[in-house]
Amino acid sequence: MNVRDRQQHKYSILAVIIFTVSFIFPFADIRENRVAGSVPLWAGDLLSRTGPGGVLLLMLPPVLLILAILLRRSGRFSREALWLRIIPALLPGLSILTAFWVLSGIPGAYEEFLGEFGRVGMGFGFYLFILAGIVPLLSDRPPKGGAWIALGVFLITSVLLYTSSALDSLGIIREASNQQRRLLKEIGNHISITLSSVGIAVVIGVPGAFISYQYRRIRNAVFPVLNVLQTIPSIALFGLMIAPLAALSRAMPLLRQMGLRGIGNTPAIIALSMYALYPVLRYSYTALSEVDGKVIDAARGMGMNTIQLWGMVRLPLGIPVILHGIRVALIQTLGNATLAKLVGGGGLGVFVFEGLGQASSDMVLLGMFLIIAITLVADQLLTVLIRLLTPKALQNQYSAQTGESQ
């Protein structure tokens, strides 16, 4: 068994263990309304109510994985057999489909407990079950094309679940349906706050990296300040923005009319741009300073002037790392933008903090799941963009530096 097979085998064994543990914890819960106490449901409860079909369906992903492990170890089949490589890629979508399918059968089995406002929630065992399906794809050397297969299965699964009415009683689905207009508005606010903050950081950070690269004194002054800003807790920095901005808006009514106030999206954007500035400036500076000196000497030997050197050598070689810094800033800001609610701003943090205040776990989960989904999509889009803009001769080197697999 080569290194790749051993790595995949370890992750498959870990997935089987997590699958097993997931049946120890409650798989779901039922509540009479959005804030009522929950009644946990274990796999045994589902078996007694819905019959063996639901639990047997849950056993399908771990059984397939165990079968693949045994056949791979037996040596009777080639370790490169297509179906043995496809099984780990199918597990995420299959786990999601089977887990949600079991949840969809709960309302009919517990109809006497669920009235007009009753809803079904997801238990800790449910999350472990989904995690177990994802684990085999987390190895350093996942099956070739596995990520794309998993994405396709996941999209098909999502469409099937969305178009069916099987999950209408799920708590987060009911919250999303009841607050659809508001939800769309806050998704737009969250993206707007994030893009505004990262945009400001890029406009300041990339030129700042060029200046810092050229002048050592500026570099020695800028980076310590940014290091200090990174140590300030985000909530504290958000709060520190309120007083000076409120005073500034009172002193200059024109700024107030333009939206510059002590509360709202403005203090959140300013604070988030401060946090995003560090990765943008740091990565941009690194991209410029770590260009191989031999390449620069060769370019000068070819007769390039300073402008040509920057436009044809330094920037093309540095753009992938600069974009990676923007990627880090974007992912960081998408998460931190949740705190904009604390200073009167919008975004999906509205659902998170209102859900905490109302003891509604469904609202909290709705906000958090959407933040995670937006973050994953943004990360993948920027990853694809970086690969497209990276010269082919440098793609393997860049992947090694950033820890990505091509």
Side-chain angles (χ1 to χ4, degrees):
M1 185 180 292
N2 57 33
V3 176
R4 175 178 176 176
D5 290 334
R6 286 198 297 270
Q7 188 72 20
Q8 187 64 44
H9 180 73
K10 290 179 181 179
Y11 277 82
S12 298
I13 294 296
L14 177 61
V16 171
I17 295 173
I18 298 176
F19 270 128
T20 304
V21 174
S22 68
F23 291 102
I24 300 175
F25 294 93
F27 191 81
D29 60 68
I30 53 176
R31 285 165 289 164
E32 295 181 358
N33 53 61
R34 68 196 299 252
V35 296
S38 61
V39 178
L41 301 176
W42 278 265
D45 300 322
L46 300 178
L47 179 63
S48 62
R49 284 275 181 165
T50 62
V55 176
L56 290 178
L57 188 63
L58 280 178
M59 293 299 298
L60 181 60
V63 167
L64 282 177
L65 183 58
I66 292 172
L67 180 62
I69 293 172
L70 294 177
L71 291 177
R72 190 182 293 115
R73 295 284 293 180
S74 68
R76 296 181 180 180
F77 297 89
S78 171
R79 295 189 179 97
E80 296 299 321
L82 180 62
W83 66 280
L84 284 178
R85 291 189 286 113
I86 287 179
I87 286 178
L90 291 177
L91 278 178
L94 186 60
S95 300
I96 293 172
L97 182 61
T98 55
F100 275 103
W101 189 267
V102 171
L103 288 184
S104 68
I106 293 177
Y110 291 86
E111 187 175 0
E112 69 274 18
F113 296 102
L114 297 172
E116 180 182 357
F117 303 102
R119 55 189 62 199
V120 177
M122 297 168 285
F124 186 61
F126 174 91
Y127 296 112
L128 286 178
F129 190 86
I130 300 297
L131 174 63
I134 298 173
V135 162
L137 285 182
L138 300 181
S139 65
D140 292 339
R141 298 293 301 275
K144 186 177 181 180
W148 292 108
I149 296 173
L151 179 61
V153 174
F154 175 77
L155 291 176
I156 294 173
T157 300
S158 300
V159 170
L160 290 175
L161 292 172
Y162 181 78
T163 55
S164 70
S165 59
L167 300 180
D168 288 348
S169 61
L170 197 62
I172 58 173
I173 300 298
R174 290 201 169 186
E175 289 294 344
S177 178
N178 293 338
Q179 307 191 56
Q180 185 174 4
R181 291 185 179 180
R182 187 180 178 215
L183 183 62
L184 294 175
K185 176 185 175 182
E186 296 305 341
I187 290 175
N189 283 335
H190 199 94
I191 295 174
S192 176
I193 291 171
T194 299
L195 293 181
S196 299
S197 304
V198 175
I200 293 172
V202 171
V203 169
I204 298 174
V206 175
F210 281 84
I211 297 173
S212 298
Y213 176 77
Q214 295 289 342
Y215 302 100
R216 182 176 180 180
R217 290 184 178 179
I218 294 178
R219 180 169 69 250
N220 292 338
V222 168
F223 282 108
V225 173
L226 292 179
N227 290 334
V228 172
L229 283 176
Q230 291 294 307
T231 64
I232 300 176
S234 52
I235 296 179
L237 187 58
F238 275 60
L240 290 174
M241 294 291 104
I242 296 177
L245 290 178
L248 189 61
S249 65
R250 287 195 300 267
M252 304 179 68
L254 179 60
L255 293 179
R256 185 176 183 87
Q257 294 176 4
M258 294 172 61
L260 184 64
R261 303 182 181 183
I263 59 174
N265 289 340
T266 301
I269 291 174
I270 293 175
L272 290 172
S273 62
M274 290 181 180
Y275 277 111
L277 184 59
Y278 180 82
V280 172
L281 202 153
R282 170 60 73 180
Y283 276 87
S284 299
Y285 172 78
T286 301
L288 299 177
S289 61
E290 291 192 357
V291 175
D292 194 339
K294 295 179 181 179
V295 176
I296 302 299
D297 293 338
R300 286 173 177 164
M302 295 172 63
M304 289 187 182
N305 57 35
T306 303
I307 296 177
Q308 291 174 326
L309 190 63
W310 279 97
M312 300 176 66
V313 179
R314 289 190 183 274
L315 282 180
L317 293 177
I319 279 179
V321 180
I322 293 174
L323 288 176
H324 187 66
I326 296 174
R327 173 192 174 197
V328 172
L330 180 63
I331 302 307
Q332 170 185 292
T333 306
L334 279 168
N336 288 338
T338 308
L339 300 175
K341 164 65 178 175
L342 298 178
V343 289
L348 292 170
V350 170
F351 292 93
V352 174
F353 288 104
E354 285 188 6
L356 291 173
Q358 299 173 17
S360 174
S361 59
D362 293 329
M363 286 189 68
V364 177
L365 290 175
L366 176 62
M368 294 307 302
F369 283 159
L370 286 173
I371 293 171
I372 293 172
I374 293 172
T375 302
L376 291 175
V377 170
D379 180 62
Q380 289 303 310
L381 289 176
L382 274 178
T383 299
V384 172
L385 178 63
I386 292 172
R387 288 176 180 173
L388 291 176
L389 295 178
T390 302
K392 291 184 178 180
L394 297 178
Q395 285 184 0
N396 292 334
Q397 178 183 351
Y398 170 74
S399 299
Q401 290 175 348
T402 59
E404 297 174 2
S405 60
Q406 296 294 334

